[in-house]
Amino acid sequence: MRWLSTTRGLSFRDRDYTELWRWSTTDLPAFWSAVWEFYGLDAVSGYDDVLADASMPGASWFPGARLNFAERCLAPTGDDDRPALISVTEAGGPTETSWRQLRDEVAAVAAALRAMGVGPGDRVAGYLPNTAHAVIALLASAAVGAVWTVCSPDFGTSGVLARLRQVGPTVLFAADGYFYAGKEFDRRPEVAEIMDGLPTVRHLVAIGHLSASSTASPWSRRTDAVQRAWSELLAHQAELSFADVPADHPLWVLWSSGTTGVPKGIVQSHGGIVVELLKTLGLGADLRSEDRYFFHTSTSWMVWNFMVGGLLHGATLVLYDGSPTHPDVNGVWKVAERTRATMVGVGAAYLVAAEKADAHPAAAVDLSALRSVLQTGSALPGSTWRWVYERLHPDVWLQSICGGTDICSVLAGGSPLLPVRTGRIQCPALGVALAAWDPAGRPLVGEQGELVVTAPLPSMPLHFVDDPGNRRYLASYFDVYPGVWRHGDWVTVGPDLSVVVAGRSDSTLNRMGVRMGSADIYAVVEQLPQIADSVVIGAELPDGDYVMALFVVLAEGAVLDDALRGSIAVAIKGELSPRHVPDVVDAIAAVPRTLTGKKLEVPVKRIIQGARAADVSAEGAVTHPEMLVWFEDFAAGLGGRRRYRRQEVRPGAH
């Protein structure tokens, strides 16, 4: 605000966030040009216009500008010996990678990609845990102008192929496995299956994460693809150079599954991500170059990309491959202690679980370096907010943030200018024209409505993968309010700009912040001969818990016993991931549908959250309306049933 006063002649009341936010959302060219200049991008590139076209979708940001995400992440920090990455696994660490070493290794891998024939617009994929290899591979891909995408190795083969087949990568970076809950998971058999299913891949880069010697033998049955070890790539020194790409050049593809069809590939740009994460992490989260920034995440969650954006600020990233509760419920905080992390990001589910376990990290772990906790994934109960200040750290800044894969950033989050209030996100982010709307498109204040964004953001998707005419893109965000982004959350915006998110307004599953599509689960479950039909929902409950419930219609003669529940869990875990395994599996007589055949996922979800059957569906508009009453009865008895079923359905799942 002082800088704006000095350079732009703008005057704001002292520390008045509301006034600053209103300016940032009503004069978009002035605000975003100020972000560009404040973070020194004017020394990197000029541009013809800030916002040449404000349409949604299709906004045109910074035409004429040329900048590379990797180049901005690797800009000089003034101390090349300072750690850029600190890597920890359940088996060891921390291991530091200096800024000098990071630049050298990105240069070597980028040179290897160029030697493989990879250039601007080509696709490079990863099957990698949260390690330095993943960060380096992303930066090297961006450096040559290639488009990056990644799946976590806890995803099964079907889930990976449903995503990577859409982009057709020419190079695959794959690790031999990952660590979780005290165990090593060897994924080389899955790598072989993925290679079989990706004929476009010509080069497999094998990474010995579990064992350096694992890369000595072939991982793939294909003779037309060349396997090279990661260590071989790093053995060759190279000059660090970057493709000169326009601001709207595709940077990466993030994946967010809808409720029908294949997962959606969300394409975001170099320029959009650079300016968005400079703004969000710097002006919102107050990330600084001296920070050590740790987000407990897998590479499949957008917060991994959000964390990598910390390099834009010269911050040190803490990368952890392992369970948040290993060796006990304080696992995340023990990693923070060992690495002297100053900013830690976690899912709401982890904090809720720690509270329910009566954990007291402050008494067991040295968190004196910690100054901020980022919490996301779902709404946080008031009691858990209090637990953070009573049991974790009395002086920490708890930032509850709401955003998503769709923009790889924050729509509502924290500000150092505002107080923290139990149960409330502090404010809409700067530049985000956020509001709550009723069904007729009227703004609501102090009342719950649909979360909308009425003006474009630089990191909104360029487009979806394989989406002729932007049909899926339009249907995902603009089908309810044409020209206005509907995010899919229920939200209340207070007169003081504080924000309360009540959960998903659509049927997208959201477990621990990772959005998943019901179609993925149907594709697995309904292949089982004992299952004739199914419906799955994920619901945020009033007590702060989250339940994913799968309801199955049994084939003739089948019985839903412990053996079948176990078979369902094993199939989902193997084909998709442990996160996709439901908490509850129950048998139903029929799946209610619309008259056009669509499963009533959203109405069933609302009933389980407490709505009456009569309020969620019009008479005569659905098949099997008697099932909605059945779901009312199910919801009434959910508490005890959920605790019982979860133990049965998820043996050994993580």
Side-chain angles (χ1 to χ4, degrees):
M1 293 168 79
R2 288 193 297 268
W3 182 88
L4 287 170
S5 175
T6 301
T7 63
R8 304 297 174 91
L10 296 172
S11 177
F12 300 98
R13 289 190 296 270
D14 184 45
R15 300 179 65 82
D16 190 329
Y17 184 86
T18 299
E19 190 174 339
L20 178 64
W21 175 78
R22 294 198 189 286
W23 168 75
S24 76
T25 56
T26 54
D27 194 344
L28 296 183
F31 172 71
W32 287 105
S33 67
V35 171
W36 187 276
E37 185 179 343
F38 184 74
Y39 284 106
L41 296 180
D42 55 322
V44 177
S45 173
Y47 49 80
D48 299 331
D49 202 350
V50 178
L51 183 57
D53 184 348
S55 304
M56 287 194 292
S60 175
W61 289 96
F62 299 104
R66 304 187 75 84
L67 76 168
N68 187 295
F69 172 78
E71 186 173 15
R72 304 321 317 143
C73 285
L74 297 173
T77 62
D79 184 0
D80 283 352
D81 295 322
R82 189 169 61 90
L85 311 176
I86 301 176
S87 304
V88 182
T89 72
E90 291 183 355
T95 301
E96 295 187 355
T97 302
S98 70
W99 282 96
R100 179 181 289 105
Q101 182 182 354
L102 177 61
R103 294 189 186 98
D104 288 346
E105 295 190 358
V106 170
V109 175
L113 287 173
R114 291 187 180 101
M116 296 174 194
V118 177
D122 292 330
R123 276 79 65 197
V124 176
Y127 185 58
L128 299 168
N130 181 17
T131 65
H133 314 98
V135 175
I136 293 164
L138 160 59
L139 294 177
S141 300
V144 304
V147 183
W148 169 260
T149 192
V150 64
C151 289
S152 171
D154 65 350
F155 269 47
T157 304
S158 297
V160 175
L161 292 177
R163 290 157 175 79
L164 300 190
R165 276 177 177 156
Q166 295 185 58
V167 297
T170 58
V171 178
L172 176 67
F173 289 85
D176 55 358
Y178 64 98
F179 297 92
Y180 203 92
K183 299 179 181 178
E184 296 183 7
F185 292 84
D186 187 342
R187 303 301 276 177
R188 284 175 293 177
E190 284 73 18
V191 173
E193 293 176 5
I194 292 167
M195 288 292 291
D196 286 344
L198 290 177
T200 57
V201 173
R202 293 289 174 254
H203 298 271
L204 168 64
V205 179
I207 298 170
H209 178 51
L210 300 182
S211 171
S213 63
S214 69
T215 59
S217 58
W219 292 6
S220 170
R221 295 176 284 264
R222 286 177 47 194
T223 58
D224 62 332
V226 177
Q227 177 174 322
R228 300 179 65 185
W230 176 265
S231 57
E232 180 185 346
L233 272 58
L234 298 186
H236 302 281
Q237 292 185 341
E239 291 294 321
L240 186 60
S241 62
F242 303 94
D244 182 30
V245 296
D248 64 353
H249 187 77
L251 169 61
W252 56 42
V253 178
L254 304 183
W255 299 99
S256 180
S257 298
T259 55
T260 60
V262 296
K264 296 174 294 189
I266 297 171
V267 184
Q268 290 154 343
S269 68
H270 281 252
I273 289 296
V274 167
V275 295
E276 180 63 43
L277 295 189
L278 282 171
K279 180 267 299 185
T280 295
L281 289 170
L283 302 181
D286 194 27
L287 184 69
R288 308 166 188 174
S289 61
E290 64 268 24
D291 276 322
R292 294 189 170 198
Y293 178 28
F294 166 34
F295 223 118
H296 180 262
T297 180
S298 76
T299 54
S300 288
W301 191 7
M302 57 75 50
V303 295
W304 183 79
N305 303 71
F306 188 72
M307 177 179 64
V308 173
L311 296 174
L312 295 167
H313 294 271
T316 298
L317 307 186
V318 176
L319 311 172
Y320 173 54
D321 176 32
S323 166
T325 56
H326 180 82
D328 55 42
V329 72
N330 289 327
V332 162
W333 311 118
K334 290 181 177 179
V335 173
E337 176 186 43
R338 294 168 64 193
T339 59
R340 303 295 293 166
T342 59
M343 183 177 291
V344 175
V346 292
Y350 175 67
L351 296 178
V352 171
E355 179 197 11
K356 291 182 176 180
D358 198 29
H360 195 167
V365 182
D366 177 9
L367 295 176
S368 57
L370 183 65
R371 68 181 185 88
S372 183
V373 172
L374 296 172
Q375 169 270 317
T376 189
S378 61
L380 198 65
S383 62
T384 312
W385 287 72
R386 291 185 286 273
W387 176 89
V388 168
Y389 284 95
E390 293 169 1
R391 294 293 189 91
L392 180 63
H393 198 308
D395 299 318
V396 79
W397 175 20
L398 176 57
Q399 301 185 56
S400 183
I401 59 177
C402 164
T405 305
D406 326 77
I407 60 164
C408 194
S409 189
V410 169
L411 295 175
S415 170
L417 301 180
L418 296 171
V420 175
R421 298 181 179 178
T422 298
R424 293 178 176 271
I425 299 174
Q426 287 176 277
C427 54
L430 292 176
V432 179
L434 182 150
W437 277 14
D438 71 7
R442 293 183 292 260
L444 301 170
V445 177
E447 298 180 49
Q448 188 177 105
E450 287 273 6
L451 193 166
V452 299
V453 180
T454 60
L457 294 170
S459 65
M460 284 177 173
L462 295 172
H463 52 81
F464 285 176
V465 173
D466 192 21
D467 185 25
N470 274 343
R471 289 193 297 269
R472 297 186 75 197
Y473 189 5
L474 289 166
S476 296
Y477 311 113
F478 302 102
D479 60 341
V480 176
Y481 309 110
V484 172
W485 178 286
R486 182 186 71 98
H487 196 61
D489 283 321
W490 297 119
V491 66
T492 303
V493 181
D496 61 353
L497 284 186
S498 64
V499 176
V500 177
V501 179
R504 299 297 300 171
S505 63
D506 59 17
S507 58
T508 303
L509 306 172
N510 186 335
R511 173 176 272 159
M512 296 179 287
V514 179
R515 295 174 63 183
M516 301 175 292
S518 56
D520 285 345
I521 293 176
Y522 299 145
V524 175
V525 171
E526 294 176 11
Q527 290 298 312
L528 298 174
Q530 303 95 322
I531 307 301
D533 202 356
S534 64
V535 62
V536 64
I537 62 94
E540 300 84 1
L541 302 179
D543 63 359
D545 206 350
Y546 180 87
V547 62
M548 185 190 295
L550 172 66
F551 303 98
V552 296
V553 179
L554 298 172
E556 186 176 355
V559 177
L560 184 59
D561 54 15
D562 291 349
L564 180 53
R565 285 193 176 94
S567 296
I568 291 170
V570 168
I572 292 174
K573 181 179 176 182
E575 292 294 321
L576 299 172
S577 83
R579 290 186 182 86
H580 289 75
V581 177
D583 301 306
V584 178
V585 176
D586 254 322
I588 55 175
V591 173
R593 283 179 158 81
T594 66
L595 298 182
T596 58
K598 294 182 179 180
K599 299 179 184 184
L600 294 188
E601 293 171 330
V602 173
V604 169
K605 172 180 174 176
R606 290 182 60 195
I607 290 171
I608 288 176
Q609 290 176 314
R612 296 186 310 155
D615 294 335
V616 302
S617 179
E619 184 177 354
V622 302
T623 65
H624 299 290
E626 74 281 1
M627 290 307 304
L628 300 183
V629 178
W630 184 94
F631 284 112
E632 276 189 339
D633 293 336
F634 173 88
L638 181 60
R641 184 179 307 174
R642 184 171 74 254
R643 289 190 293 272
Y644 175 65
R645 293 292 187 231
R646 181 177 291 155
Q647 294 175 356
E648 290 186 334
V649 172
R650 304 186 67 206
H654 49 271

